[in-house]
């Protein structure tokens, strides 16, 4: 997940009674992808620590630091933007795990653009580079088993190695991909490019994210996308492209994610 802003946390917390973040994966170092990091503290179990008289001493992250994972360029950008999150926090004398200031407790992990790792909760995560304007690298992710969930939030083109990798995936179940607007753009897929990309990979379900107002009225765009999916009248089976326009707070039904 990228951490775009405080609004993300408001939406998530309103939708879910219980919400727990195990790790954070950053796609790239642009402001809209990292500037919410300061608010991660509100998703951590941070408790006040007081002495026997009730005087407040500091704060303890009960769950420990939260891992923030990305490539070298992105982690370097984050550390420049948030030097107070990157440096070792000042602790209360004699209490190594109690910090003086209530800030997010983070552990920055640098990985390669094409790393494959196992998350703290045991989920397989495969990274692959995509271009986000020119040769600027943003990261795409494949979560779970091969083809289970592919996420590409900021993309204008893909290196041959990444496209070759995705083509070799037997069947992508869920594909989330960037679709900014109708006109061609220098740093994001436009509508035609996003549709062509979905058509190339033929996932079971696809979701467009990152749309601007210039993409058009959401209902009209969805009606246009629905025409790309055909239904066999006799058997009721769908063919063609099954694409939905996602939005803030959109959730994927469990039966679709697990089918």
């Amino acid at each position: 997940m990228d951490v775009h802003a405080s609004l993300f946390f408001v939406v998530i917390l309103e939708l879910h009674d219980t919400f727990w973040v195990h790790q954070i994966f950053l796609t790239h170092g642009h402001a809209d992808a990292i500037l919410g990091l300061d608010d991660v503290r509100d998703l951590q179990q941070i408790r006040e620590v007081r002495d026997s008289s009730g005087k407040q001493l500091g704060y303890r992250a009960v769950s420990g630091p939260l891992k923030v994972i990305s490539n070298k360029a992105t982690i370097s950008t984050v550390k420049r933007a948030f030097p107070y999150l990157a440096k070792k926090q000042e602790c209360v004398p004699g209490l190594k795990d109690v910090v003086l200031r209530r800030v997010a407790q983070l552990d920055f992990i640098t990985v390669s653009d094409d790393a494959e790792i196992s998350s703290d909760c045991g989920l397989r995560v495969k990274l692959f580079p995509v271009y986000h304007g020119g040769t600027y690298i943003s990261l795409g992710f494949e979560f779970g088993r091969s083809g289970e969930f592919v996420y590409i939030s900021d993309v204008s083109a893909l290196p041959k190695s990444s496209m070759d990798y995705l083509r070799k995936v037997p069947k992508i179940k869920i594909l989330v991909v960037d679709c900014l607007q109708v006109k061609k753009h220098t740093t994001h897929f436009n509508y035609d490019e996003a549709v062509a990309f979905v058509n190339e990979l033929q996932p079971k379900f696809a979701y467009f994210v990152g749309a601007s107002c210039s993409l058009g009225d959401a209902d009209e765009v969805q009606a246009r996308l629905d025409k790309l999916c055909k239904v066999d009248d006799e058997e009721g089976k769908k063919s063609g492209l099954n694409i939905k326009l996602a939005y803030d707070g959109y959730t994927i039904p469990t039966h679709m994610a697990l089918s």
Side-chain angles (χ1 to χ4, degrees):
M1 58 175 265
D2 277 351
V3 277
H4 293 270
S6 302
L7 178 60
F8 168 81
F9 301 115
V10 172
V11 171
I12 289 296
L13 292 173
E14 285 182 348
L15 287 173
H16 302 277
D17 293 331
T18 302
F19 184 71
W20 185 255
V21 175
H22 294 276
Q23 293 169 274
I24 293 175
F25 291 89
L26 297 176
T27 57
H28 64 296
H30 287 171
D32 62 344
I34 68 171
L35 290 189
L37 271 175
D38 187 67
D39 295 306
V40 168
R41 63 184 180 180
D42 292 328
L43 294 179
Q44 291 185 288
Q45 290 183 312
I46 299 178
R47 297 177 182 172
E48 291 184 356
V49 176
R50 299 178 179 275
D51 62 17
S52 57
S53 68
K55 178 183 177 182
Q56 182 179 326
L57 299 176
Y59 303 89
R60 175 184 287 121
V62 179
S63 56
L66 185 65
K67 292 180 180 178
V68 178
I69 303 169
S70 194
N71 59 13
K72 182 178 180 180
T74 300
I75 295 298
S76 296
T77 298
V78 169
K79 288 183 176 180
R80 289 196 301 271
F82 297 98
Y84 61 93
L85 296 180
K87 71 179 182 180
K88 184 176 177 59
Q89 298 297 316
E90 185 179 357
C91 296
V92 175
L95 298 173
K96 295 181 179 180
D97 63 339
V98 178
V99 296
L100 291 174
R101 298 175 61 86
R102 183 179 177 270
V103 298
Q105 304 295 299
L106 306 176
D107 180 17
F108 294 99
I109 307 294
T110 301
V111 296
S112 64
D113 293 342
D114 58 355
E116 181 171 325
I117 61 178
S118 178
S119 71
D120 284 354
C121 58
L123 182 70
R124 169 185 171 270
V125 183
K126 167 65 178 173
L127 287 65
F128 53 90
V130 300
Y131 294 135
H132 182 23
T135 57
Y136 179 84
I137 296 295
S138 181
L139 295 177
F141 300 92
E142 180 186 30
F143 295 99
R145 294 183 296 273
S146 180
E148 193 166 19
F149 190 100
V150 176
Y151 177 85
I152 310 173
S153 64
D154 297 86
V155 58
S156 56
L158 282 83
K160 182 178 182 301
S161 60
S162 296
M163 199 65 210
D164 287 347
Y165 172 77
L166 293 173
R167 287 193 184 106
K168 291 178 181 177
V169 175
K171 181 66 175 180
I172 295 175
K173 185 180 296 182
I174 295 174
L175 171 65
V176 178
V177 67
D178 185 16
C179 179
L180 179 69
Q181 60 187 32
V182 174
K183 293 182 179 179
K184 190 169 179 60
H185 196 270
T186 57
T187 59
H188 295 272
F189 274 169
N190 68 356
Y191 178 88
D192 289 340
E193 290 167 332
V195 169
F197 183 69
V198 174
N199 189 50
E200 169 81 13
L201 296 181
Q202 290 290 312
K204 188 171 184 179
F205 304 103
Y207 298 89
F208 285 171
V209 296
S212 68
C213 293
S214 58
L215 184 63
D217 178 83
D219 291 335
E220 293 176 2
V221 174
Q222 187 59 63
R224 185 179 175 188
L225 291 171
D226 288 343
K227 292 179 180 178
L228 302 175
C229 182
K230 301 176 182 178
V231 179
D232 187 308
D233 292 334
E234 294 183 3
E235 299 183 12
K237 293 183 178 179
K238 293 183 178 180
S239 61
L241 306 181
N242 192 346
I243 307 174
K244 299 297 182 185
L245 188 63
Y247 49 84
D248 288 346
Y250 188 92
T251 56
I252 298 175
T254 304
H255 73 276
M256 293 175 65
L258 299 179
S259 61

